[in-house]
Amino acid sequence: MSNAEYPKTAINKLGRLPKRGKYDYETVYSIIDESPILHVSFNDPEHPFPVVLPMLGCTINFEDPDAEERDIYIHGYVSGRLFRHSKETGEQGLPVTVAASIMDGLVLALAPFHNSCNYRSATAYGHANLVTASEERLHAMTLITNSLLPSRWETSRSTPTPAELSSTSILRVRIASASAKVRTGGPSEDRKDLKDEALRGRVWTGVVPCWLAWGELVAGKDNGAGEVDGGIEQWRVAENERGRKVAYAAIEEGG
Amino acid sequence: MSNAEYPKTAINKLGRLPKRGKYDYETVYSIIDESPILHVSFNDPEHPFPVVLPMLGCTINFEDPDAEERDIYIHGYVSGRLFRHSKETGEQGLPVTVAASIMDGLVLALAPFHNSCNYRSATAYGHANLVTASEERLHAMTLITNSLLPSRWETSRSTPTPAELSSTSILRVRIASASAKVRTGGPSEDRKDLKDEALRGRVWTGVVPCWLAWGELVAGKDNGAGEVDGGIEQWRVAENERGRKVAYAAIEEGG
């Protein structure tokens, strides 16, 4: 476990509720890696609004897997035009913001204004480039696949065809700055409300924990490997247990 | 049920996998309203990267609740400086993009390149303004609270104190354009892989459905209304059942 963190700057420093802020690599990366969907935002000079794409990805240090600092690798299509644009303007890549958010529970207080959510969110700011080196691309594809389901790369037909390789884009986001925000605990109440015995007797307060649940496997129409796969079933059950534990632990951790 | 939709323009038209695109109000709004977290992106002229904030909100038509078209109302803090900036530059509000994504399942194919996710995502582009009129603010607070938990506004101490009112910001995003993307069905395979009987006998293919699960209620330390609230418990069980059904139905709907 490392204590290394991103320096607080005007870009990543939390203005609102700064006590919930975390800047260490470990927290930022773990939220990005746990969140199944990353929201990637960038500007297209031809459009008035930021573009936001839901994408898949994970954190990796390709050059040195043991290094504390990592990049974000993202799988998916972003118009090449944008990268050409960022090259023309002399930037070191397309400026992007990657956001990941995980809901851990609904926090219910005596008054709506004190309701909250337990959550973990991470935001990373950096420059995106298309990865062109084959080895790096394959490495990223392997880890992104396995971040969705452990060992899936190795257990399926992983050697890509030329057509698959040419149709798959991998982006590397070199993180310039990042932060995380984590809310835990139960409700925190207005003092006056706490003295109102009638209100307290009437309104239930506490937390409804939540997590991403994985249901029973549904074999596809072309599946020829038996109705259920033992390894995937084991992962599913463990993942449900882990999600549940994290959501309940967040309540105990205090606000 | 309405068939009204957002016109396809350069802003909202899907470039990638256009068959998954949906432009009707109903689909866009239902995804935004079901997603517990909205990712709101905008530009801060003082920073090189887009800002992305996880926020709570829902779709509302304040002037006419029966109108087909709605705005997005968002609860939370965005620096007033940004709104001043957008006024100075003569814009009709701060240009923002609101993204909502819901995972419905992991789609596992014979080869990693054909893996996918069942998901529903919506992206709305519009102009954000701070809501200042009391009636509109209260209406939005009521609906945002109840979008997290039905009737919570009415069943808790909802009349706000002056301090609560002044510390709560409500943003209205007037939607200029929007689109949704929905992926359903099982895996779609490479033709050659389907002819490889050894591969098909070895690699399980299908869908692992997923949804947001709500766990047993955990009463807070100041709770005085009994360990479990019947209404919330009922909502929780129904919500779990609904989430499960949606995830399984997505598999049946075909790709």
Side-chain angles (χ1 to χ4, degrees):
Chain A
M1 185 78 108
S2 145
N3 294 316
E5 52 176 49
Y6 291 99
K8 280 177 223 178
T9 67
I11 291 172
N12 69 338
K13 209 175 70 167
L14 297 179
R16 180 93 173 145
L17 302 171
K19 277 197 301 184
R20 295 183 186 168
K22 308 222 178 239
Y23 298 88
D24 61 290
Y25 294 167
E26 203 67 33
T27 303
V28 169
Y29 300 157
S30 72
I31 295 169
I32 291 172
D33 289 342
E34 183 176 332
S35 173
I37 296 174
L38 304 176
H39 284 91
V40 182
S41 178
F42 54 88
N43 284 298
D44 179 339
E46 290 180 16
H47 296 305
F49 306 100
V51 178
V52 183
L53 298 177
M55 299 177 94
L56 301 175
C58 66
T59 64
I60 301 173
N61 189 312
F62 174 63
E63 278 122 41
D64 177 5
D66 297 325
E68 288 181 337
E69 199 170 359
R70 300 189 206 144
D71 302 314
I72 304 173
Y73 283 74
I74 293 169
H75 175 278
Y77 178 80
V78 170
S79 167
R81 180 172 52 78
L82 289 165
F83 293 95
R84 283 196 298 279
H85 174 82
S86 82
K87 261 177 198 149
E88 284 158 17
T89 55
E91 284 161 10
Q92 64 259 56
L94 181 71
V96 303
T97 302
V98 179
S101 305
I102 303 166
M103 268 279 280
D104 289 327
L106 185 56
V107 181
L108 297 166
L110 291 167
F113 297 82
H114 294 269
N115 288 350
S116 185
C117 291
N118 282 340
Y119 65 89
R120 289 164 285 153
S121 74
T123 314
Y125 310 89
H127 295 94
N129 281 287
L130 274 170
V131 181
T132 51
S134 319
E135 205 192 332
E136 188 176 356
R137 274 163 54 83
L138 267 179
H139 185 69
M141 291 174 196
T142 306
L143 269 63
I144 293 171
T145 300
N146 289 346
S147 78
L148 286 171
L149 179 65
S151 303
R152 184 69 184 181
W153 184 269
E154 293 76 14
T155 57
S156 59
R157 193 270 292 157
S158 50
T159 308
T161 66
E164 285 169 352
L165 270 181
S166 70
S167 68
T168 305
S169 298
I170 297 286
L171 301 178
R172 181 189 51 240
V173 179
R174 198 133 276 175
I175 301 175
S177 182
S179 64
K181 206 165 177 179
V182 177
R183 201 277 181 200
T184 57
S188 118
E189 304 284 1
D190 179 84
R191 269 192 213 175
K192 264 198 182 163
D193 286 341
L194 280 179
K195 290 181 191 149
D196 183 340
E197 291 300 330
L199 181 71
R200 287 182 58 187
R202 182 169 63 81
V203 179
W204 186 90
T205 60
V207 180
V208 192
C210 65
W211 63 92
L212 194 65
W214 298 91
E216 296 80 16
L217 279 57
V218 178
K221 66 174 171 40
D222 299 316
N223 174 58
E227 273 309 290
V228 172
D229 177 280
I232 303 173
E233 179 61 15
Q234 207 172 12
W235 163 82
R236 172 184 94 79
V237 172
E239 198 51 23
N240 284 341
E241 196 45 45
R242 192 193 59 75
R244 166 186 284 274
K245 268 192 189 151
V246 169
Y248 279 91
I251 306 172
E252 301 307 320
E253 273 170 37
Chain B
M1 184 78 108
S2 147
N3 294 316
E5 51 176 50
Y6 290 99
K8 282 178 219 176
T9 68
I11 290 171
N12 69 337
K13 210 177 67 169
L14 297 179
R16 180 94 171 143
L17 301 172
K19 277 197 298 182
R20 296 184 186 168
K22 306 220 180 244
Y23 299 87
D24 61 290
Y25 294 168
E26 203 66 36
T27 302
V28 169
Y29 300 157
S30 71
I31 294 169
I32 291 171
D33 289 342
E34 183 176 331
S35 172
I37 296 174
L38 303 176
H39 285 90
V40 182
S41 178
F42 53 89
N43 285 297
D44 180 339
E46 290 180 14
H47 296 305
F49 305 100
V51 178
V52 183
L53 298 177
M55 300 177 96
L56 301 175
C58 66
T59 63
I60 301 174
N61 189 312
F62 174 63
E63 280 122 40
D64 176 5
D66 297 324
E68 288 182 336
E69 198 169 0
R70 299 190 206 144
D71 302 315
I72 304 173
Y73 283 74
I74 294 169
H75 175 277
Y77 179 81
V78 170
S79 168
R81 179 173 52 78
L82 289 165
F83 293 95
R84 283 197 298 280
H85 173 80
S86 81
K87 263 179 198 148
E88 284 159 16
T89 54
E91 285 160 11
Q92 63 259 57
L94 183 71
V96 303
T97 302
V98 179
S101 305
I102 302 166
M103 266 279 278
D104 289 327
L106 185 56
V107 181
L108 297 166
L110 291 167
F113 296 82
H114 295 269
N115 288 348
S116 186
C117 290
N118 282 341
Y119 65 88
R120 288 164 287 153
S121 73
T123 315
Y125 310 88
H127 295 94
N129 280 286
L130 275 170
V131 181
T132 50
S134 321
E135 206 193 331
E136 188 176 355
R137 274 162 55 83
L138 267 179
H139 185 69
M141 291 174 198
T142 305
L143 269 63
I144 293 170
T145 299
N146 289 347
S147 79
L148 286 170
L149 179 64
S151 304
R152 183 69 183 181
W153 184 269
E154 292 77 14
T155 57
S156 60
R157 193 271 292 157
S158 50
T159 308
T161 67
E164 286 169 351
L165 270 181
S166 71
S167 69
T168 305
S169 297
I170 297 285
L171 300 178
R172 181 189 52 242
V173 179
R174 197 131 276 175
I175 302 175
S177 182
S179 65
K181 207 165 176 178
V182 176
R183 201 279 181 199
T184 57
S188 118
E189 305 283 1
D190 179 85
R191 268 191 215 177
K192 263 199 183 163
D193 286 342
L194 280 180
K195 291 182 193 148
D196 183 338
E197 291 299 330
L199 180 71
R200 287 183 57 186
R202 182 169 63 80
V203 179
W204 185 90
T205 59
V207 179
V208 192
C210 66
W211 62 93
L212 194 64
W214 297 92
E216 295 79 18
L217 279 57
V218 178
K221 66 174 171 37
D222 299 317
N223 174 57
E227 274 308 293
V228 171
D229 176 280
I232 302 174
E233 178 62 15
Q234 208 172 10
W235 163 82
R236 170 184 96 76
V237 171
E239 199 49 25
N240 284 341
E241 195 45 44
R242 193 193 59 77
R244 165 186 285 274
K245 267 191 190 152
V246 169
Y248 279 90
I251 306 172
E252 301 307 320
E253 272 170 38

